[in-house]
mmCIF file of all heavy atoms in Angstrom:
data_model
loop_
_atom_site.group_PDB
_atom_site.id
_atom_site.type_symbol
_atom_site.label_atom_id
_atom_site.label_comp_id
_atom_site.label_asym_id
_atom_site.label_seq_id
_atom_site.Cartn_x
_atom_site.Cartn_y
_atom_site.Cartn_z
ATOM 1 N N LYS A 232 95.822 115.250 95.781
ATOM 2 C CA LYS A 232 97.185 114.898 96.158
ATOM 3 C C LYS A 232 97.536 115.513 97.509
ATOM 4 O O LYS A 232 97.306 116.691 97.752
ATOM 5 C CB LYS A 232 98.159 115.364 95.073
ATOM 6 C CG LYS A 232 99.536 114.734 95.160
ATOM 7 C CD LYS A 232 100.380 115.097 93.936
ATOM 8 C CE LYS A 232 99.756 114.591 92.652
ATOM 9 N NZ LYS A 232 100.596 114.902 91.456
ATOM 10 N N GLY A 233 98.086 114.687 98.379
ATOM 11 C CA GLY A 233 98.424 115.126 99.717
ATOM 12 C C GLY A 233 97.325 114.927 100.727
ATOM 13 O O GLY A 233 97.574 115.013 101.934
ATOM 14 N N ARG A 234 96.109 114.672 100.278
ATOM 15 C CA ARG A 234 94.978 114.438 101.174
ATOM 16 C C ARG A 234 94.467 113.007 101.116
ATOM 17 O O ARG A 234 94.004 112.478 102.127
ATOM 18 C CB ARG A 234 93.827 115.391 100.844
ATOM 19 C CG ARG A 234 94.187 116.864 100.985
ATOM 20 C CD ARG A 234 92.963 117.758 100.808
ATOM 21 N NE ARG A 234 92.404 117.657 99.449
ATOM 22 C CZ ARG A 234 91.180 117.226 99.171
ATOM 23 N NH1 ARG A 234 90.362 116.863 100.152
ATOM 24 N NH2 ARG A 234 90.758 117.176 97.919
ATOM 25 N N PHE A 235 94.535 112.391 99.946
ATOM 26 C CA PHE A 235 94.037 111.034 99.754
ATOM 27 C C PHE A 235 95.208 110.078 99.592
ATOM 28 O O PHE A 235 96.251 110.443 99.032
ATOM 29 C CB PHE A 235 93.161 110.926 98.506
ATOM 30 C CG PHE A 235 91.839 111.644 98.577
ATOM 31 C CD1 PHE A 235 91.529 112.497 99.618
ATOM 32 C CD2 PHE A 235 90.896 111.445 97.576
ATOM 33 C CE1 PHE A 235 90.313 113.161 99.674
ATOM 34 C CE2 PHE A 235 89.676 112.091 97.618
ATOM 35 C CZ PHE A 235 89.381 112.950 98.664
ATOM 36 N N THR A 236 95.023 108.856 100.052
ATOM 37 C CA THR A 236 96.022 107.810 99.888
ATOM 38 C C THR A 236 95.349 106.535 99.418
ATOM 39 O O THR A 236 94.399 106.063 100.046
ATOM 40 C CB THR A 236 96.772 107.534 101.201
ATOM 41 O OG1 THR A 236 97.382 108.735 101.671
ATOM 42 C CG2 THR A 236 97.850 106.485 100.975
ATOM 43 N N ILE A 237 95.846 105.976 98.322
ATOM 44 C CA ILE A 237 95.331 104.711 97.825
ATOM 45 C C ILE A 237 96.270 103.596 98.260
ATOM 46 O O ILE A 237 97.491 103.762 98.280
ATOM 47 C CB ILE A 237 95.153 104.737 96.292
ATOM 48 C CG1 ILE A 237 94.388 103.501 95.815
ATOM 49 C CG2 ILE A 237 96.490 104.869 95.575
ATOM 50 C CD1 ILE A 237 93.936 103.585 94.359
ATOM 51 N N SER A 238 95.692 102.467 98.615
ATOM 52 C CA SER A 238 96.477 101.313 99.020
ATOM 53 C C SER A 238 95.748 100.048 98.578
ATOM 54 O O SER A 238 94.608 100.103 98.101
ATOM 55 C CB SER A 238 96.732 101.302 100.530
ATOM 56 O OG SER A 238 95.509 101.255 101.248
ATOM 57 N N ARG A 239 96.398 98.921 98.750
ATOM 58 C CA ARG A 239 95.808 97.670 98.291
ATOM 59 C C ARG A 239 96.164 96.520 99.209
ATOM 60 O O ARG A 239 97.158 96.566 99.944
ATOM 61 C CB ARG A 239 96.295 97.355 96.873
ATOM 62 C CG ARG A 239 97.800 97.125 96.816
ATOM 63 C CD ARG A 239 98.278 96.744 95.450
ATOM 64 N NE ARG A 239 99.722 96.524 95.449
ATOM 65 C CZ ARG A 239 100.418 96.075 94.427
ATOM 66 N NH1 ARG A 239 99.794 95.803 93.284
ATOM 67 N NH2 ARG A 239 101.731 95.906 94.527
ATOM 68 N N ASP A 240 95.353 95.491 99.152
ATOM 69 C CA ASP A 240 95.642 94.206 99.754
ATOM 70 C C ASP A 240 95.528 93.204 98.614
ATOM 71 O O ASP A 240 94.436 92.744 98.281
ATOM 72 C CB ASP A 240 94.667 93.881 100.876
ATOM 73 C CG ASP A 240 95.002 92.587 101.590
ATOM 74 O OD1 ASP A 240 95.723 91.751 101.031
ATOM 75 O OD2 ASP A 240 94.525 92.412 102.727
ATOM 76 N N SER A 241 96.652 92.890 98.013
ATOM 77 C CA SER A 241 96.650 92.057 96.815
ATOM 78 C C SER A 241 96.077 90.668 97.078
ATOM 79 O O SER A 241 95.415 90.094 96.211
ATOM 80 C CB SER A 241 98.072 91.948 96.258
ATOM 81 O OG SER A 241 98.557 93.214 95.863
ATOM 82 N N ALA A 242 96.335 90.129 98.259
ATOM 83 C CA ALA A 242 95.852 88.794 98.580
ATOM 84 C C ALA A 242 94.329 88.730 98.596
ATOM 85 O O ALA A 242 93.742 87.675 98.355
ATOM 86 C CB ALA A 242 96.414 88.333 99.916
ATOM 87 N N LYS A 243 93.685 89.848 98.895
ATOM 88 C CA LYS A 243 92.230 89.907 98.957
ATOM 89 C C LYS A 243 91.606 90.602 97.754
ATOM 90 O O LYS A 243 90.391 90.795 97.728
ATOM 91 C CB LYS A 243 91.791 90.618 100.236
ATOM 92 C CG LYS A 243 92.205 89.912 101.511
ATOM 93 C CD LYS A 243 91.722 90.672 102.733
ATOM 94 C CE LYS A 243 92.093 89.952 104.012
ATOM 95 N NZ LYS A 243 91.643 90.683 105.219
ATOM 96 N N ASN A 244 92.422 90.991 96.776
ATOM 97 C CA ASN A 244 91.943 91.747 95.616
ATOM 98 C C ASN A 244 91.108 92.949 96.048
ATOM 99 O O ASN A 244 90.027 93.207 95.514
ATOM 100 C CB ASN A 244 91.143 90.843 94.675
ATOM 101 C CG ASN A 244 92.006 89.806 93.995
ATOM 102 O OD1 ASN A 244 93.158 90.060 93.651
ATOM 103 N ND2 ASN A 244 91.449 88.617 93.786
ATOM 104 N N THR A 245 91.636 93.680 97.001
ATOM 105 C CA THR A 245 90.924 94.794 97.597
ATOM 106 C C THR A 245 91.769 96.060 97.515
ATOM 107 O O THR A 245 92.985 96.018 97.732
ATOM 108 C CB THR A 245 90.568 94.497 99.056
ATOM 109 O OG1 THR A 245 89.717 93.343 99.114
ATOM 110 C CG2 THR A 245 89.835 95.669 99.694
ATOM 111 N N VAL A 246 91.117 97.163 97.207
ATOM 112 C CA VAL A 246 91.774 98.461 97.159
ATOM 113 C C VAL A 246 91.065 99.397 98.123
ATOM 114 O O VAL A 246 89.845 99.297 98.322
ATOM 115 C CB VAL A 246 91.784 99.028 95.720
ATOM 116 C CG1 VAL A 246 90.370 99.309 95.228
ATOM 117 C CG2 VAL A 246 92.649 100.274 95.632
ATOM 118 N N TYR A 247 91.826 100.303 98.725
ATOM 119 C CA TYR A 247 91.300 101.240 99.697
ATOM 120 C C TYR A 247 91.621 102.664 99.270
ATOM 121 O O TYR A 247 92.601 102.916 98.574
ATOM 122 C CB TYR A 247 91.904 100.991 101.079
ATOM 123 C CG TYR A 247 91.751 99.571 101.568
ATOM 124 C CD1 TYR A 247 92.745 98.632 101.336
ATOM 125 C CD2 TYR A 247 90.618 99.177 102.266
ATOM 126 C CE1 TYR A 247 92.610 97.331 101.780
ATOM 127 C CE2 TYR A 247 90.471 97.881 102.715
ATOM 128 C CZ TYR A 247 91.477 96.961 102.471
ATOM 129 O OH TYR A 247 91.334 95.672 102.916
ATOM 130 N N LEU A 248 90.799 103.581 99.721
ATOM 131 C CA LEU A 248 91.065 104.994 99.522
ATOM 132 C C LEU A 248 90.844 105.706 100.845
ATOM 133 O O LEU A 248 89.704 105.837 101.304
ATOM 134 C CB LEU A 248 90.165 105.594 98.442
ATOM 135 C CG LEU A 248 90.459 107.047 98.073
ATOM 136 C CD1 LEU A 248 91.826 107.160 97.389
ATOM 137 C CD2 LEU A 248 89.367 107.623 97.181
ATOM 138 N N GLN A 249 91.934 106.125 101.464
ATOM 139 C CA GLN A 249 91.865 106.912 102.683
ATOM 140 C C GLN A 249 91.752 108.377 102.304
ATOM 141 O O GLN A 249 92.639 108.924 101.643
ATOM 142 C CB GLN A 249 93.107 106.684 103.548
ATOM 143 C CG GLN A 249 93.129 107.487 104.836
ATOM 144 C CD GLN A 249 92.039 107.064 105.797
ATOM 145 O OE1 GLN A 249 91.845 105.878 106.039
ATOM 146 N NE2 GLN A 249 91.312 108.032 106.344
ATOM 147 N N MET A 250 90.671 109.009 102.708
ATOM 148 C CA MET A 250 90.389 110.387 102.346
ATOM 149 C C MET A 250 90.419 111.235 103.608
ATOM 150 O O MET A 250 89.588 111.060 104.506
ATOM 151 C CB MET A 250 89.033 110.506 101.656
ATOM 152 C CG MET A 250 88.900 109.613 100.427
ATOM 153 S SD MET A 250 87.355 109.889 99.519
ATOM 154 C CE MET A 250 86.171 109.296 100.727
ATOM 155 N N ASN A 251 91.368 112.151 103.669
ATOM 156 C CA ASN A 251 91.524 113.040 104.812
ATOM 157 C C ASN A 251 91.287 114.483 104.396
ATOM 158 O O ASN A 251 91.416 114.840 103.224
ATOM 159 C CB ASN A 251 92.924 112.905 105.410
ATOM 160 C CG ASN A 251 93.202 111.533 105.969
ATOM 161 O OD1 ASN A 251 92.306 110.858 106.464
ATOM 162 N ND2 ASN A 251 94.468 111.117 105.901
ATOM 163 N N ASN A 252 90.966 115.303 105.384
ATOM 164 C CA ASN A 252 90.732 116.729 105.148
ATOM 165 C C ASN A 252 89.763 116.946 103.995
ATOM 166 O O ASN A 252 90.028 117.710 103.062
ATOM 167 C CB ASN A 252 92.056 117.447 104.888
ATOM 168 C CG ASN A 252 91.927 118.949 104.987
ATOM 169 O OD1 ASN A 252 91.031 119.474 105.650
ATOM 170 N ND2 ASN A 252 92.821 119.665 104.309
ATOM 171 N N LEU A 253 88.630 116.280 104.075
ATOM 172 C CA LEU A 253 87.657 116.341 102.991
ATOM 173 C C LEU A 253 87.078 117.741 102.835
ATOM 174 O O LEU A 253 86.875 118.463 103.811
ATOM 175 C CB LEU A 253 86.543 115.335 103.239
ATOM 176 C CG LEU A 253 86.928 113.887 102.911
ATOM 177 C CD1 LEU A 253 86.012 112.910 103.631
ATOM 178 C CD2 LEU A 253 86.877 113.654 101.405
ATOM 179 N N GLU A 254 86.828 118.091 101.596
ATOM 180 C CA GLU A 254 86.286 119.381 101.228
ATOM 181 C C GLU A 254 84.931 119.191 100.545
ATOM 182 O O GLU A 254 84.662 118.124 100.000
ATOM 183 C CB GLU A 254 87.244 120.113 100.282
ATOM 184 C CG GLU A 254 88.645 120.282 100.847
ATOM 185 C CD GLU A 254 89.627 120.770 99.809
ATOM 186 O OE1 GLU A 254 89.278 120.842 98.614
ATOM 187 O OE2 GLU A 254 90.774 121.092 100.206
ATOM 188 N N PRO A 255 84.082 120.222 100.564
ATOM 189 C CA PRO A 255 82.795 120.085 99.864
ATOM 190 C C PRO A 255 82.949 119.689 98.399
ATOM 191 O O PRO A 255 82.089 118.986 97.862
ATOM 192 C CB PRO A 255 82.184 121.484 100.008
ATOM 193 C CG PRO A 255 82.752 122.006 101.276
ATOM 194 C CD PRO A 255 84.163 121.475 101.324
ATOM 195 N N GLU A 256 84.030 120.110 97.768
ATOM 196 C CA GLU A 256 84.279 119.772 96.371
ATOM 197 C C GLU A 256 84.550 118.292 96.157
ATOM 198 O O GLU A 256 84.519 117.817 95.015
ATOM 199 C CB GLU A 256 85.444 120.604 95.826
ATOM 200 C CG GLU A 256 85.163 122.094 95.707
ATOM 201 C CD GLU A 256 85.176 122.811 97.050
ATOM 202 O OE1 GLU A 256 85.734 122.267 98.030
ATOM 203 O OE2 GLU A 256 84.626 123.934 97.130
ATOM 204 N N ASP A 257 84.832 117.558 97.227
ATOM 205 C CA ASP A 257 85.057 116.122 97.125
ATOM 206 C C ASP A 257 83.758 115.325 97.068
ATOM 207 O O ASP A 257 83.789 114.119 96.798
ATOM 208 C CB ASP A 257 85.889 115.617 98.303
ATOM 209 C CG ASP A 257 87.282 116.216 98.331
ATOM 210 O OD1 ASP A 257 87.919 116.301 97.265
ATOM 211 O OD2 ASP A 257 87.736 116.586 99.437
ATOM 212 N N ALA A 258 82.640 115.936 97.347
ATOM 213 C CA ALA A 258 81.361 115.237 97.349
ATOM 214 C C ALA A 258 81.050 114.708 95.959
ATOM 215 O O ALA A 258 81.099 115.445 94.971
ATOM 216 C CB ALA A 258 80.248 116.157 97.830
ATOM 217 N N ALA A 259 80.752 113.430 95.880
ATOM 218 C CA ALA A 259 80.493 112.779 94.608
ATOM 219 C C ALA A 259 80.139 111.326 94.869
ATOM 220 O O ALA A 259 80.238 110.840 95.997
ATOM 221 C CB ALA A 259 81.720 112.855 93.688
ATOM 222 N N VAL A 260 79.735 110.647 93.815
ATOM 223 C CA VAL A 260 79.668 109.197 93.847
ATOM 224 C C VAL A 260 81.034 108.672 93.438
ATOM 225 O O VAL A 260 81.558 109.042 92.388
ATOM 226 C CB VAL A 260 78.578 108.641 92.916
ATOM 227 C CG1 VAL A 260 78.595 107.113 92.922
ATOM 228 C CG2 VAL A 260 77.202 109.157 93.339
ATOM 229 N N TYR A 261 81.611 107.836 94.271
ATOM 230 C CA TYR A 261 82.929 107.275 94.019
ATOM 231 C C TYR A 261 82.778 105.861 93.475
ATOM 232 O O TYR A 261 82.110 105.015 94.071
ATOM 233 C CB TYR A 261 83.765 107.271 95.298
ATOM 234 C CG TYR A 261 84.304 108.630 95.654
ATOM 235 C CD1 TYR A 261 83.459 109.647 96.078
ATOM 236 C CD2 TYR A 261 85.669 108.902 95.545
ATOM 237 C CE1 TYR A 261 83.946 110.905 96.380
ATOM 238 C CE2 TYR A 261 86.165 110.159 95.859
ATOM 239 C CZ TYR A 261 85.299 111.156 96.268
ATOM 240 O OH TYR A 261 85.793 112.400 96.575
ATOM 241 N N TYR A 262 83.427 105.619 92.340
ATOM 242 C CA TYR A 262 83.340 104.341 91.659
ATOM 243 C C TYR A 262 84.678 103.628 91.680
ATOM 244 O O TYR A 262 85.700 104.201 91.303
ATOM 245 C CB TYR A 262 82.918 104.525 90.199
ATOM 246 C CG TYR A 262 81.530 105.084 90.016
ATOM 247 C CD1 TYR A 262 81.318 106.454 89.904
ATOM 248 C CD2 TYR A 262 80.431 104.235 89.951
ATOM 249 C CE1 TYR A 262 80.046 106.964 89.730
ATOM 250 C CE2 TYR A 262 79.158 104.745 89.774
ATOM 251 C CZ TYR A 262 78.967 106.102 89.663
ATOM 252 O OH TYR A 262 77.704 106.614 89.485
ATOM 253 N N CYS A 263 84.653 102.406 92.104
ATOM 254 C CA CYS A 263 85.828 101.567 92.026
ATOM 255 C C CYS A 263 85.965 101.011 90.616
ATOM 256 O O CYS A 263 84.964 100.686 89.968
ATOM 257 C CB CYS A 263 85.702 100.417 93.031
ATOM 258 S SG CYS A 263 87.089 99.253 93.031
ATOM 259 N N TYR A 264 87.203 100.910 90.149
ATOM 260 C CA TYR A 264 87.439 100.241 88.877
ATOM 261 C C TYR A 264 88.610 99.267 89.009
ATOM 262 O O TYR A 264 89.478 99.431 89.879
ATOM 263 C CB TYR A 264 87.700 101.248 87.746
ATOM 264 C CG TYR A 264 89.160 101.582 87.547
ATOM 265 C CD1 TYR A 264 89.940 100.858 86.639
ATOM 266 C CD2 TYR A 264 89.759 102.601 88.255
ATOM 267 C CE1 TYR A 264 91.280 101.159 86.462
ATOM 268 C CE2 TYR A 264 91.094 102.905 88.086
ATOM 269 C CZ TYR A 264 91.854 102.189 87.189
ATOM 270 O OH TYR A 264 93.177 102.477 87.013
#
């Protein structure tokens, strides 16, 4: 919270995740659902 922002483009059925100020603890495989 405060570092990541989720957004969408409904017309394209697309979701985005803007990730700022990344930390080593953020390292992972990210899965869209």
Side-chain angles (χ1 to χ4, degrees):
K232 196 172 299 182
R234 300 187 296 118
F235 292 9
T236 303
I237 190 169
S238 60
R239 64 177 180 174
D240 184 340
S241 297
K243 297 181 178 179
N244 292 324
T245 299
V246 65
Y247 306 93
L248 185 67
Q249 179 66 47
M250 304 186 293
N251 296 328
N252 195 24
L253 282 159
E254 304 169 352
E256 293 75 19
D257 297 317
V260 177
Y261 284 69
Y262 295 92
C263 179
Y264 91 92

